[in-house]
Each structure stands twice: as C-alpha cells, then as structure tokens.
Amino acid sequence: NAGVMQNPRHLVRRRGQEARLRCSPMKGHSHVYWYRQLPEEGLKFMVYLQKENIIDESGMPKERFSAEFPKEGPSILRIQQVVRGDSAAYFCASSPPPGLAETQYFGPGTRLLVL
Amino acid sequence: AQTVTQSQPEMSVQEAETVTLSCTYDTSENNYYLFWYKQPPSRQMILVIRQEAYKQQNATENRFSVNFQKAAKSFSLKISDSQLGDTAMYFCAFMNGPGMSSSYKLIFGSGTRLLVRP
C-alpha cells in the first residue's frame, strides 16, 4: 500500500514564476491537507480539501495561492508569481474521512527554492 | 484559538537512557486528539504516537509513551532506551475532535530537536 506521494521533491523557481506542487493521497483516503514549513519552524496549516471541495482554507494566503483536489488525479497546490519568502518545505497529508480515523499521514514534502 | 507550546528547543540524551519531551496546549474544547510526530534529517514526518482526549489511559508504542494530563493540558513524550535513530525533531500536535466547527487541521508546536549521543 503506497504512502502519500508528492512531486516534485525539489523545485527551483525564479521570482515571478509559477510553482505547482502535486499530492496523491494514500489509497482509500479522500481528505487532503497542505502544510508549510519555513526553515527552523514547525508546520503551519494551509488548506484542507475533499474531492472537488475546499473545506478550510483559513491558513492559505489570500493572494497568489490556490489549491484544488479534482475528482480524478492528484491534489494541486499552486503558487503564482513566487517570491523569495515562498521558499519552504510544503507537506501534504491525507486521511480517511474524519470519524473513521483522525490520523494524518504525511508525504515526503516538496522543497521549494525561489531564486 | 488553540495553541501548542514546546518549551525545549533542544534536548540531548545518552544512548540507552530515557528522555522526556514536554508539550502543553491550550483549548476550551473537551474532545480532541494529540499527536507526536518525528522529523528525522530526511525531513519526512513520521507519526510516533497519538492520544484521544476522552481516554484516561496513556498511549504507548513500544519504547514511546506519553504522560497525558488533561486538567493541566500537558502531553509529554517519554522515549525509553534511546537509540541513535531517535535523533530528530519532535513535534507535538493538536487536532479538534468532531464538531460543527472542526476542520481536523493539525496545530503544531515549534518542535524540540533531540540528539542521542553514542
């Protein structure tokens, strides 16, 4: 049973470019969470999605950031017009529907570096 | 808003000894979950142990156990017989239980860097 998959593992972008981060949840998991970890800090919640539905985006910046989890395919975190402050590790986690099991399992993360 | 505090930025322990990592949290909710995650140098987030707030019995997983003090809002992690592979960042995390306003997001502390010395 494959774990949570994220790609790319490392991404380098120049200021002003777009970054697309992908997350495939564990088999049987229908809920996806995105977290950001700045250097030497803990993880901060960004957004929580179900298939075709954003449940909670309270941690996501209002501008330049968007997330989706389509009916088919991986969840995508999109950052437009990246700036140096976007450099961080972005982690995706997945879980079964809450109420069945609340534990979130994490992917290996995508390290974004903005030059 | 819920908060999680880890007051020990760094800890060090001799191999085979026991170490305890501290975590306190703040919430007005009665139903919630607490977790310890480990982040080794690979930076993968690995679940160590979880505790349901409604359970009085402290969770244990092999060499890892917790001391859950609900009234004091304290959730410490004890690592027995420390091994070199335990060297990592350890994060305490809180999640609200089921409810109208719950989004099941994890709220993390700032982490404790644990070094196991040979």
Side-chain angles (χ1 to χ4, degrees):
Chain A
N1 187 14
V4 179
M5 309 288 285
Q6 288 188 251
N7 67 81
R9 296 288 304 275
H10 299 273
L11 183 61
V12 180
R13 286 287 178 265
R14 297 192 181 279
R15 281 178 296 170
Q17 291 184 319
E18 179 180 287
R20 279 182 181 243
L21 288 60
R22 295 175 187 78
C23 169
S24 296
M26 285 178 70
K27 188 176 180 181
H29 287 190
S30 55
H31 294 242
V32 164
Y33 310 78
W34 286 93
Y35 296 85
R36 177 165 66 176
Q37 185 179 31
L38 295 171
E40 304 303 318
E41 293 188 12
L43 280 73
K44 296 286 193 294
F45 167 78
M46 298 182 74
V47 61
Y48 163 36
L49 310 104
Q50 296 175 19
K51 288 276 187 182
E52 301 184 283
N53 210 6
I54 296 176
I55 305 302
D56 181 356
E57 56 183 348
S58 59
M60 199 153 68
K62 295 285 187 287
E63 296 183 358
R64 302 188 299 109
F65 285 74
S66 63
E68 62 176 6
F69 190 15
K71 187 176 180 181
E72 301 290 337
S75 175
I76 306 286
L77 179 67
R78 183 182 176 207
I79 311 172
Q80 295 178 290
Q81 299 175 324
V82 296
V83 301
R84 288 219 173 107
D86 296 333
S87 294
Y90 291 82
F91 289 91
C92 167
S94 74
S95 74
L100 297 181
E102 284 69 28
T103 298
Q104 294 178 20
Y105 296 91
F106 282 80
T110 294
R111 276 77 176 165
L112 172 65
L113 176 62
V114 180
L115 301 177
Chain B
Q2 290 89 0
T3 58
V4 177
T5 302
Q6 293 180 250
S7 58
Q8 305 154 314
E10 293 185 359
M11 293 280 285
S12 178
V13 64
Q14 196 74 31
E15 193 176 8
E17 298 292 308
T18 295
V19 64
T20 298
L21 308 184
S22 302
C23 173
T24 58
Y25 58 93
D26 188 25
T27 183
S28 57
E29 301 292 334
N30 191 49
N31 186 17
Y32 50 87
Y33 304 90
L34 295 162
F35 304 83
W36 279 97
Y37 281 89
K38 167 184 176 181
Q39 188 177 45
S42 67
R43 301 196 72 184
Q44 170 79 50
M45 293 291 287
I46 302 166
L47 176 68
V48 175
I49 200 164
R50 63 173 263 166
Q51 174 82 42
E52 292 85 351
Y54 63 84
K55 289 187 179 178
Q56 292 188 341
Q57 187 172 7
N58 289 325
T60 63
E61 287 287 341
N62 301 314
R63 298 183 296 107
F64 299 88
S65 61
V66 298
N67 183 5
F68 174 45
Q69 301 289 327
K70 191 172 184 179
K73 296 179 182 174
S74 170
F75 183 61
S76 60
L77 174 70
K78 185 170 84 170
I79 306 174
S80 304
D81 185 25
S82 297
Q83 300 176 0
L84 296 179
D86 295 334
T87 291
M89 283 288 287
Y90 286 81
F91 292 99
C92 178
F94 170 98
M95 177 196 291
N96 267 325
M100 291 285 287
S101 61
S102 180
S103 80
Y104 305 103
K105 62 187 178 188
L106 287 167
I107 300 167
F108 286 88
S110 56
T112 296
R113 188 180 304 278
L114 176 66
L115 174 64
V116 179
R117 304 186 309 274

